[in-house]
């Protein structure tokens, strides 16, 4: 489960329309990274406002690969939007 912290600050500062657009861009960024690292067999779903579920196929679900993906996801989510 990937939960985006403090996202409500974006909505408060810029409004819900901008927040929704940024969240959609972030979801695409996450999806590209997961497909790049794991392949199209991974499942990515938005399960709540700022929470995403990522299910890895068995061949990518060992601890080391999951930790690498987690680090890459945090880095991708931390990058600013243009």
């Amino acid at each position: 489960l990937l939960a985006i912290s403090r996202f409500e600050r974006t909505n408060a500062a810029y409004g819900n329309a901008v927040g929704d657009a940024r969240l959609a861009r972030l979801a695409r960024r996450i999806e590209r990274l997961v497909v790049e690292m794991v392949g199209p067999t991974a499942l990515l779903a938005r399960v709540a406002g700022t929470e995403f579920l990522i299910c890895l196929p068995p061949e990518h679900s060992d601890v080391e690969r999951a930790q690498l993906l987690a680090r890459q996801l945090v880095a991708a989510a931390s990058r600013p939007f243009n």
Side-chain angles (χ1 to χ4, degrees):
L1 184 66
L2 173 66
I4 308 302
S5 300
R6 300 183 301 269
F7 195 80
E8 64 277 354
R9 291 180 187 175
T10 297
N11 286 337
Y14 303 106
N16 288 339
V18 171
D20 289 348
R22 285 189 177 178
L23 191 58
R25 289 177 65 195
L26 178 58
R28 287 190 298 273
R29 187 182 285 181
I30 292 167
E31 180 181 32
R32 281 192 305 271
L33 179 62
V34 169
V35 169
E36 177 184 307
M37 292 187 69
V38 178
T41 58
L43 173 68
L44 173 64
R46 183 177 174 197
V47 295
T50 59
E51 294 180 352
F52 297 88
L53 177 68
I54 303 166
C55 294
L56 302 176
E59 64 272 14
H60 290 278
S61 62
D62 61 272
V63 173
E64 291 82 17
R65 287 185 185 187
Q67 287 175 337
L68 175 61
L69 178 60
R71 285 191 298 273
Q72 294 296 323
L73 287 167
V74 168
S78 299
R79 285 196 321 266
F81 291 101
N82 298 333

